[in-house]
Amino acid sequence: MSPVADHDPRGAGAGFAAALRARRLARGLTQEELAGRAGLGVRTLRELERGRVARPQRGTLALLADALDLVGADREDFLAGIVTTTPATLPLPTVPALIGRDADIAELLDLLERADLVALVGLAGVGKTGLAHAVAHATPGTAVSVTITDVSQPTDVFAAVAAVFGVARAEELLDRPALLVLDGIDRSHRSAVKAITWLRARVPAVKILATSRRPLAGVIPGAVDWRVEPLDLPHTSAPTSLAEVRRTPAVALFLDRLRQVRREPVPDAEIPAVAELVRRLDGLPLAIELAAARGRVLELPELLSRYGNRVLDLAATDPDGQRLRDAVAASYHLLDEPDQAALRRLAMFRGRWSLELAEALLGFNAETVLDRLVGLGLVSVRGPGDLRFRLLDVVRDFASERGAEQGELRKLRIRHAEVVTRIVVRLAADLVGPASAAAVSRLDYLNSDIRAALRYASVRDPAIALRLAGAIPRWCRLRGRDVEAHRLLRRLLDDPRTAGCDPLIRATAQVAAGMLAMAHGRGFAELWPTEAALEVLVAHGDAAGELAARAVLAGVWQAVGGADESRRHNEAMLGLAIRTGRIREIAVSQNNIAWHDIRTGDLATAARRLAGAGRRAAEAGDTRLQVLTQANLAEVARLDRRYDDAVDLARRAAAATAEVGDPTHRVRALGTLGQALAESGRLQEAAEVLVELAELPGNAGASAMIGGYLGLAEGDRAAAAAAFETAANLLAGRDDIRDVLEALVGLAASAGAADRERALGELDGICARGGLALLPREHSLLAG
């Protein structure tokens, strides 16, 4: 016996009662919902559907017609009380124009040519229903829609399908090719699955496009799941015109819906605020529409300020309307408790993460649970590589709220900090050498998680934060965060709660603090603590740590004029690198020792040593170190007045540092380039370098030096003197004391008598303290 046979023994569809019930089911309404919409009592509606009212009043029919959204001839027949065993086919629901879904519609139309059951799956609010109806409207031929409710039974589905197709019984559809949209099958999943199975077996000509928060593949043989993703967002990495931002699907949807509640178009000045808002809303159509509806009373900056960090509070302006929090909860509650607990843990991640990271955080094989979370649209999978998983912000916020309710948030955040620290410490080992570019890229992807872990652990568990912060000084320098990172490390090292940490962890963190301080001219403040850290590293036989410490100390001593101490550390570093067979560190020490050759005026030896360091760097596969030696060779050529060679080498070094992402050394390479151009009379090109430098952090000293040489070349001695004096002040205590020497030479060569005498006095002091010798070019400047 077919499932339809026992549906309504009085003969469904034969009279007004059956027709009313079929239309209600086709609209996906319960008796209570239809009665509420029509303003009738539930008991009255039940009597009507039981056939106990022979001739309903026309006013009652009008209320029901409005509540059922009946239009055209179907409405007129309904009002006249005319019902037949084959009511007219009901129209598809009218949906607003979809934005940013053209490619999706085309792909689904093509897919429905090959598959007879496609399920649009995804998070509540992602736009499954709108997309399904848009596909139905675009389908050539007959297309109808039935909404499943949380009380639907299989027989209800059959009656609704018959009603929308305009037949008495579902079996009559055997020879009628059509598309049937079943919207919201997860509301009554078992009933919907049973009905779909029956329909596919008995009505093979009808293709089914279902919407569901949970997958159908694997539940019904032959079902194809098609995941509905949020709308595309404006790019953050590449420069984009305002017109392009406006055309981005998420922004375009917001602007379209905003025009429905306010007349004034959004000016260009507010488009960046719109872009930031839709990013925070993760391109989720429901969230975007709810936010736009608030634009009736809130200006865009107010919207971003009010809801930017609490998007779950967005709700429809209608008091009974849907809230974003309820939409996310609907998907969350489809999970069992273990999967909910896993989602709460994964909500600690702030950016993209890998399966490996998920398993480290969860403490078990995560493949199965991730499959379920992805299937429900709670976890997004985008982009190549292993760092491809992420939670939408609304899902993460909701899961974090549940974690707070469970009293587990503190434990989860500490666990997250521990996991991030382990992976970062492992990656930090690759920040030098041939794998450095890949390591930097991975740390960039983990940036938001590193920041979150540092922010929380520095307060709750500073020992974890100390280990994490101590592992990433090179990455922080490359990303221009040396000041921020140094302050954090100094605070952690001074925190009494870290006093009992593993001595090696504290020593490593101290070396990191020295490296970061040196990057912004504060190395001397960390000199003696770093010398003490070196002793700890030597005592524990940590060769890698000792090499890093000596490199930092050599650089600090070099910057403050301690030539003998700098050379001692560099030579000790070279000896250790040779003994332990570390080719890269041999290159680093050779590069550093070349400074001592320059200090004594032996530019030829410095050039040979740098060329050897470059070959060692190439052998070690360290592109960044190769570029550094090339930049230093350019500086030696400039000091030797070989300006054409200097310009050529510096241009190549500047371009290469941009490619490898090293802003600190790019500043030095551009500084050499600009000075060589100015000294050789190519003033326009030197001025262009100044423009390029202005975009980089830490450029002030190099820019002032170029300005000084431009002033000399243009005969403006006052401007030259001011620039050189500024440079001397800015460069003091930074990478190389010889930079200060050169600035003082320029000042003495361009200033008036009083300032010249003062500059010469300071110059004599620097030469005496640092064992520095003036080069022929500097003697020429002073003589001129």
Side-chain angles (χ1 to χ4, degrees):
M1 180 181 295
S2 76
V4 172
D6 61 355
H7 172 64
D8 190 1
R10 299 182 184 181
F16 177 80
L20 173 61
R21 182 169 184 263
R23 285 172 168 81
R24 172 176 64 78
L25 293 171
R27 293 293 184 265
L29 299 172
T30 64
Q31 287 183 335
E32 290 78 7
E33 289 170 336
L34 179 56
R37 290 178 64 172
L40 301 174
V42 176
R43 183 175 180 180
T44 299
L45 186 61
R46 287 178 183 154
E47 294 296 301
L48 289 170
E49 289 198 359
R50 288 172 180 168
R52 294 180 180 176
V53 179
R55 298 182 61 82
Q57 295 181 4
R58 184 173 178 84
T60 300
L61 292 175
L63 292 172
L64 288 169
D66 290 341
L68 290 166
D69 298 322
L70 300 182
V71 295
D74 194 36
R75 178 185 176 86
E76 294 303 318
D77 289 347
F78 187 85
L79 291 175
I82 301 172
V83 293
T84 66
T85 56
T86 57
T89 300
L90 299 179
L92 284 167
T94 302
V95 295
L98 285 192
I99 292 174
R101 297 293 194 190
D102 291 349
D104 293 344
I105 293 171
E107 184 177 338
L108 285 166
L109 288 171
D110 181 65
L111 180 59
L112 285 166
E113 291 289 326
R114 308 187 305 274
D116 66 340
L117 173 57
V118 176
L120 302 184
V121 296
L123 183 69
V126 79
K128 301 183 294 295
T129 297
L131 180 57
H133 287 143
V135 171
H137 278 288
T139 299
T142 302
V144 295
S145 175
V146 170
T147 301
I148 307 298
T149 72
D150 55 5
V151 295
S152 293
Q153 298 296 318
T155 50
D156 297 328
V157 179
F158 300 137
V161 170
V164 296
F165 276 111
V167 297
R169 297 164 61 84
E171 292 97 324
E172 296 178 24
L173 298 172
L174 282 173
D175 298 320
R176 297 182 58 174
L179 175 66
L180 169 63
V181 174
L182 291 179
D183 185 30
I185 65 173
D186 48 276
R187 299 189 190 107
S188 289
H189 192 258
R190 185 174 299 176
S191 297
V193 168
K194 185 176 180 181
I196 290 171
T197 302
W198 187 89
L199 286 167
R200 292 181 74 205
R202 303 297 180 88
V203 193
V206 173
K207 291 179 179 285
I208 298 173
L209 179 61
T211 72
S212 176
R213 289 187 296 253
R214 65 175 74 184
L216 273 189
V219 177
I220 300 178
V224 177
D225 287 335
W226 198 91
R227 192 168 63 249
V228 181
E229 299 286 358
L231 295 172
D232 288 341
L233 297 167
H235 292 295
T236 56
S237 55
T240 308
S241 70
L242 290 176
E244 289 174 312
V245 174
R246 285 180 180 271
R247 289 193 295 270
T248 305
V251 173
L253 176 63
F254 180 88
L255 296 177
D256 179 79
R257 299 303 188 257
L258 189 65
R259 286 299 299 271
Q260 297 175 8
V261 298
R262 65 160 69 172
R263 294 172 57 187
E264 303 82 7
V266 175
D268 284 348
E270 293 187 352
I271 290 299
V274 175
E276 180 60 28
L277 179 61
V278 298
R279 285 191 198 102
R280 186 70 180 93
L281 300 174
D282 269 318
L284 198 64
L286 173 62
I288 292 172
E289 295 195 359
L290 292 175
R294 296 288 167 181
R296 192 189 308 273
V297 295
L298 296 177
E299 295 297 330
L300 289 174
E302 292 176 317
L303 262 173
L304 186 59
S305 173
R306 185 177 290 261
Y307 291 108
N309 291 315
R310 51 187 189 92
V311 295
L312 287 172
D313 291 340
L314 281 168
T317 53
D318 178 358
D320 298 324
Q322 188 175 23
R323 297 185 307 166
L324 187 57
R325 181 177 279 101
D326 297 333
V328 180
S331 293
Y332 178 80
H333 290 306
L334 294 174
L335 299 170
D336 58 22
E337 172 50 36
D339 286 352
Q340 289 179 355
L343 184 64
R344 294 196 298 271
R345 290 188 183 186
L346 293 172
M348 298 303 101
F349 286 125
R350 291 294 180 269
R352 295 182 185 178
W353 34 274
S354 63
L355 178 61
E356 177 193 8
L357 276 169
E359 290 177 339
L361 188 64
L362 296 175
F364 56 80
N365 188 310
E367 187 175 338
T368 302
V369 68
L370 275 183
D371 180 69
R372 288 193 289 268
L373 295 175
V374 170
L376 291 173
L378 291 165
V379 169
S380 172
V381 186
R382 281 192 175 184
D386 59 337
L387 292 169
R388 62 186 180 276
F389 301 99
R390 70 178 293 267
L391 296 182
L392 299 182
D393 285 354
V394 292
V395 175
R396 187 180 66 243
D397 291 352
F398 182 87
S400 295
E401 287 183 354
R402 303 291 79 74
E405 290 175 0
Q406 298 285 334
E408 59 188 16
L409 207 52
R410 178 174 179 176
K411 178 181 68 175
L412 293 181
R413 284 177 172 170
I414 290 297
R415 173 75 173 169
H416 168 262
E418 291 172 339
V419 168
V420 170
T421 298
R422 285 202 298 271
I423 189 69
V424 167
V425 168
R426 195 174 73 203
L427 286 170
D430 292 330
L431 284 173
V432 295
S436 61
V440 168
S441 176
R442 289 184 73 82
L443 288 172
D444 287 343
Y445 275 119
L446 294 170
N447 174 48
S448 54
D449 282 292
I450 293 171
R451 285 184 172 273
L454 284 171
R455 188 164 50 248
Y456 189 77
S458 62
V459 175
R460 296 294 185 181
D461 196 332
I464 295 175
L466 184 68
R467 186 169 182 235
L468 175 55
I472 52 174
R474 288 185 176 87
W475 179 63
C476 292
R477 286 189 63 180
L478 292 173
R479 293 298 171 254
R481 297 173 185 164
D482 49 280
V483 175
E484 168 194 354
H486 174 247
R487 286 174 180 166
L488 174 60
L489 265 174
R490 190 68 265 155
R491 189 166 69 248
L492 291 169
L493 285 163
D494 293 338
D495 192 321
R497 293 174 294 173
T498 66
C501 286
D502 183 332
L504 275 177
I505 291 177
R506 282 190 60 84
T508 300
Q510 178 55 59
V511 172
M515 182 185 298
L516 292 165
M518 184 173 63
H520 58 275
R522 297 292 184 270
F524 186 74
E526 299 291 349
L527 181 59
W528 302 114
T530 306
E531 290 279 13
L534 173 62
E535 294 179 7
V536 174
L537 293 164
V538 171
H540 283 77
D542 186 340
E546 180 183 346
L547 288 166
R550 291 194 184 280
V552 169
L553 289 167
V556 174
W557 281 116
Q558 174 180 324
V560 299
D564 293 340
E565 291 297 318
S566 177
R567 182 151 201 148
R568 177 175 67 83
H569 283 298
N570 275 320
E571 290 177 345
M573 182 182 177
L574 179 59
L576 179 58
I578 292 172
R579 290 195 304 274
T580 56
R582 298 171 187 261
I583 297 173
R584 179 190 177 276
E585 280 65 31
I586 293 173
V588 170
S589 55
Q590 285 179 325
N591 179 81
N592 294 347
I593 292 173
W595 175 82
H596 298 282
D597 300 324
I598 298 172
R599 175 175 60 87
T600 59
D602 190 351
L603 296 181
T605 300
R608 287 195 298 273
R609 201 183 299 275
L610 287 169
R615 289 192 295 272
R616 292 281 192 175
E619 186 180 348
D622 192 323
T623 303
R624 183 172 285 105
L625 184 54
Q626 284 181 266
V627 173
L628 173 60
T629 59
Q630 187 178 53
N632 288 340
L633 278 168
E635 179 69 1
V636 168
R638 183 184 72 84
L639 294 175
D640 202 22
R641 294 188 284 195
R642 292 183 286 111
Y643 296 122
D644 288 344
D645 289 344
V647 167
D648 180 55
L649 287 166
R651 281 197 194 280
R652 283 187 278 150
T657 51
E659 289 179 10
V660 300
D662 191 338
T664 301
H665 290 120
R666 186 165 179 235
V667 166
R668 289 193 64 81
L670 287 172
T672 294
L673 175 61
Q675 290 173 71
L677 289 167
E679 290 178 79
S680 59
R682 297 159 68 174
L683 306 189
Q684 180 58 40
E685 292 177 79
E688 291 170 0
V689 172
L690 277 176
V691 174
E692 191 173 355
L693 264 173
E695 300 177 358
L696 298 173
N699 73 85
S703 296
M705 287 295 295
I706 297 172
Y709 282 115
L710 282 172
L712 281 178
E714 293 167 349
D716 190 342
R717 301 179 71 83
F724 281 126
E725 183 158 26
T726 298
N729 292 328
L730 289 170
L731 295 169
R734 296 188 73 90
D735 294 336
D736 191 340
I737 196 173
R738 210 179 186 293
D739 295 337
V740 181
L741 178 149
E742 186 172 350
L744 289 173
V745 168
L747 175 59
S750 55
D755 287 334
R756 175 182 172 86
E757 289 303 314
R758 174 172 56 83
L760 288 172
E762 293 181 21
L763 190 59
D764 289 341
I766 281 181
C767 290
R769 290 195 307 273
L772 298 170
L774 293 181
L775 298 171
R777 63 186 297 282
E778 289 148 357
H779 284 296
S780 297
L781 271 174
L782 292 173

